[in-house]
Amino acid sequence: MQNTAIVAGFADPVSDAQQTFRKVLKAMSEPGVIVEAASPEALEHLYPSTFAVCQTLLDQQTPLWLSKEFSNPKIQHNLHFHTGMPLARQPLDAQFALAYAGEIATLDDFAKGTAEYPERNCTMILQVQAISASPSTDQNSTTLKLSGPGIKTERQIAIAGLSQAVIRYLSDRPDTFPLGIDFIFTAAQSLVAIPRTTQLEVC
Amino acid sequence: MNAATIRDGYNFAYLDEQTKRMIRRALLKAIAIPGYQVPFGGREMPMPYGWGTGGIQLTAAVIGQDDVLKVIDQGADDTTNAVSIRTFFKDLTGVKTTEKTREATLIQTRHRIPEVPLQADQILIYQVPIPEPLRFIEPSEVETRKMHALEDYGVMHVKLYEDIARYGSIATTYAYPVRVNGRYIMDPSPIPKFDNPKMDRIPALQLFGAGREKRIYAVPPYTEVLSLDFLDHPFEIQRWDETCAICGSDHSFLDEVIMDDQGTRSYICSDTDYCSQRVQQEAVA
Ligand SMILES: [Zn+2]
């Protein structure tokens, strides 16, 4: 068996998980607000921010689906070592999914919750190239105008690296509330969340 | 970490990390589905139900070293319940506590919303005894869950309208039901309906924890919270002819108190911090 190196996780697991959670809590309750979050080290191409979110939210009770880009022994082994999370065999079994936002060709296969248990959906943790609070001229970047709960009037953000499927899902909202998928988009050291309540317009 | 102030042998904020994670995940779902009650696997706390174990578990899952905690019970910081919860967190986290609404980052409350408007980045954590607003109409959990799923809220309107037919107005004055973001009907916990308008589109985050029934729900900032009413009987808050006997306020929620053995009645602010701030300002002026 190959020897897989362990990458250092949170320096102070109790305090670092609490602080990261508060960042995610703010992001989820104020969609479009960019917050800082990072584990001390990246785990290969898994960003410090993504790694921090994983250590904060995942454990033995949360099956995780990994996309092709993140399905390698080192990432799997380290995530399991630091969180104990099991791998989801199918997207439908996943409570959390981890991928590059550009990799997602469809969101049809992930759980959207049920009318009686709308919380039984998948939360997508998607890595992107960049997130900024101001419109970007980068042609890989999409400027989004957000409104809904958590937003006083409207809020603009630009995200680089979204696939057409993700943009379409967010702007069309094919699942009627309260069903749907919640998104956490991560850049290297920061993140932004877009829950199912957010109305979104591509600018 | 300020280890010296934290009780030996306990995890930060009492709860184990596994339980905190479970509550944290439920909180994120509750925020994504405003007004919907998310079930969670709560654990036993070292105090009895009725002491706000639901609120305490939420506070324990959220609180960190940089927080400043305020705990109120019916508006007061100095009741046995408020003092014991504040002491519990002081001992098990070492965080700063305050009685001033403006200084607090976390406010755990039983049955009131502070009079001072809450700000962005403040979190109000409500202790909830009975989370299901439809429970007194429909005792079955299976049925109430269906009613929420189908947005089948006719019975709630019928109940309120029966009040109007019987009493000439809606008799409910506490735990007055609200509709969140135009979708879920929610129990705001037993706050006076006087406080209901303070929930609507505010900059602060509102979290609700029911310990016995193990439910969490939430209202994100800037989210519509409307009290149920009828065109011909619009929602109204309580008003008093009296003013506060201590600070003279004519616009805060007043408690009736008996002043002496002769049964002389008087009215004072239920929000003790608000009342004393007003007295201090008066003294300065
Ligand atoms: Zn007063």
Side-chain angles (χ1 to χ4, degrees):
Chain A
M1 205 176 133
Q2 204 181 330
N3 202 358
T4 328
I6 292 296
V7 173
F10 284 147
D12 179 346
V14 171
S15 169
D16 293 351
Q18 185 274 334
Q19 290 193 21
T20 304
F21 170 68
R22 284 290 280 277
K23 297 298 175 74
V24 177
L25 184 73
K26 179 166 176 75
M28 196 61 87
S29 53
E30 299 180 53
V33 169
I34 301 165
V35 297
E36 307 281 315
S39 195
E41 291 180 40
L43 168 54
E44 293 201 315
H45 51 289
L46 194 83
Y47 297 147
S49 62
T50 316
F51 194 19
V53 170
C54 288
Q55 290 171 78
T56 302
L57 297 178
L58 303 182
D59 57 29
Q60 300 85 338
Q61 297 177 358
T62 56
L64 173 71
W65 181 83
L66 290 172
S67 72
K68 197 154 164 266
E69 290 290 335
F70 295 101
S71 293
N72 77 48
K74 185 170 176 189
I75 289 178
Q76 285 176 8
H77 182 74
N78 268 278
L79 284 180
H80 188 264
F81 175 83
H82 286 287
T83 74
M85 98 297 155
L87 279 177
R89 291 223 190 101
Q90 313 287 337
L92 194 61
D93 302 332
Q95 268 194 46
F96 290 89
L98 181 50
Y100 279 113
E103 266 185 288
I104 300 292
T106 175
L107 289 146
D108 291 352
D109 304 333
F110 296 96
K112 316 289 172 52
T114 66
E116 293 188 12
Y117 294 94
E119 77 278 22
R120 294 182 182 171
N121 66 300
C122 180
T123 300
M124 309 288 296
I125 304 166
L126 300 182
Q127 289 202 168
V128 298
Q129 286 143 31
I131 304 169
S132 74
S134 48
S136 170
T137 48
D138 177 356
Q139 54 173 289
N140 191 21
S141 177
T142 314
T143 301
L144 307 168
K145 191 165 80 183
L146 314 180
S147 60
I151 303 166
K152 192 173 184 183
T153 49
E154 55 183 45
R155 190 172 281 139
Q156 274 199 8
I157 48 165
I159 303 181
L162 300 176
S163 70
Q164 280 308 311
V166 170
I167 295 171
R168 215 177 310 118
Y169 181 88
L170 288 171
S171 43
D172 294 356
R173 291 284 174 203
D175 306 303
T176 314
F177 185 84
L179 306 194
I181 289 173
D182 308 312
F183 293 86
I184 297 171
F185 295 102
T186 57
Q189 308 273 340
S190 64
L191 62 89
V192 71
I194 302 185
R196 68 197 82 178
T197 48
T198 305
Q199 288 122 47
L200 183 143
E201 219 178 284
V202 177
C203 302
Chain B
M1 187 175 297
N2 195 356
T5 58
I6 297 171
R7 223 184 272 169
D8 280 347
Y10 287 91
N11 197 18
F12 182 84
Y14 185 81
L15 289 181
D16 60 280
E17 292 305 297
Q18 160 72 34
T19 303
K20 284 183 195 167
R21 263 194 308 275
M22 184 180 61
I23 293 172
R24 287 168 180 167
R25 289 194 296 259
L27 278 170
L28 297 178
K29 299 284 190 181
I31 286 162
I33 317 168
Y36 168 76
Q37 304 158 51
V38 181
F40 76 106
R43 55 162 292 174
E44 299 308 314
M45 297 299 285
M47 43 188 86
Y49 292 123
W51 278 69
T53 53
I56 292 166
Q57 289 182 82
L58 295 200
T59 299
V62 165
I63 199 166
Q65 292 151 49
D66 303 332
D67 278 310
V68 179
L69 177 70
K70 173 180 164 78
V71 182
I72 49 171
D73 176 13
Q74 310 264 18
D77 298 80
D78 57 1
T79 67
T80 313
N81 185 310
V83 169
S84 72
I85 293 171
R86 195 162 57 237
T87 307
F88 176 77
F89 281 113
K90 221 176 155 59
D91 283 0
L92 288 161
T93 66
V95 302
K96 275 198 225 118
T97 61
T98 185
E99 297 193 358
K100 297 196 173 77
T101 299
R102 281 195 183 87
E103 286 178 356
T105 56
L106 296 181
I107 303 171
Q108 183 172 325
T109 179
R110 174 173 176 270
H111 302 186
R112 274 311 308 277
I113 298 175
E115 304 287 1
V116 175
L118 299 177
Q119 305 298 317
D121 290 316
Q122 287 188 308
I123 303 178
L124 184 60
I125 297 176
Y126 297 76
Q127 301 171 197
V128 181
I130 302 164
E132 178 50 72
L134 304 168
R135 184 63 70 232
F136 66 96
I137 301 168
E138 173 53 66
S140 154
E141 166 68 18
V142 175
E143 288 304 315
T144 52
R145 187 167 283 283
K146 261 188 214 148
M147 289 157 78
H148 283 296
L150 298 169
E151 221 174 327
D152 177 10
Y153 293 138
V155 284
M156 180 60 96
H157 290 275
V158 168
K159 148 75 172 100
L160 293 176
Y161 215 89
E162 279 172 1
D163 268 11
I164 294 170
R166 195 173 308 157
Y167 310 109
S169 63
I170 295 172
T172 307
T173 54
Y174 287 84
Y176 189 104
V178 295
R179 191 151 198 170
V180 180
N181 195 33
R183 179 58 178 82
Y184 284 99
I185 286 187
M186 184 185 94
D187 186 326
S189 87
I191 56 171
K193 68 176 182 176
F194 178 88
D195 285 342
N196 277 23
K198 296 182 196 160
M199 308 178 85
D200 183 32
R201 280 167 287 204
I202 62 169
L205 172 63
Q206 303 173 77
L207 307 176
F208 300 78
R212 196 193 321 256
E213 302 205 26
K214 301 187 183 4
R215 294 286 186 280
I216 289 171
Y217 49 102
V219 176
Y222 302 112
T223 300
E224 186 186 77
V225 178
L226 291 182
S227 303
L228 302 185
D229 65 357
F230 301 92
L231 274 179
D232 50 346
H233 282 88
F235 173 79
E236 283 176 349
I237 60 171
Q238 294 105 317
R239 299 200 180 282
W240 289 262
D241 296 331
E242 298 80 3
T243 55
C244 172
I246 298 171
C247 74
S249 168
D250 59 0
H251 53 266
S252 49
F253 188 87
L254 300 178
D255 284 334
E256 191 180 344
V257 288
I258 309 286
M259 299 300 275
D260 53 32
D261 292 347
Q262 279 71 50
T264 311
R265 284 157 201 277
S266 188
Y267 291 83
I268 57 169
C269 292
S270 128
D271 183 334
T272 51
D273 167 58
Y274 181 74
C275 196
S276 62
Q277 298 291 324
R278 277 177 56 89
V279 170
Q280 270 176 32
Q281 277 163 19
E282 193 81 351
V284 171

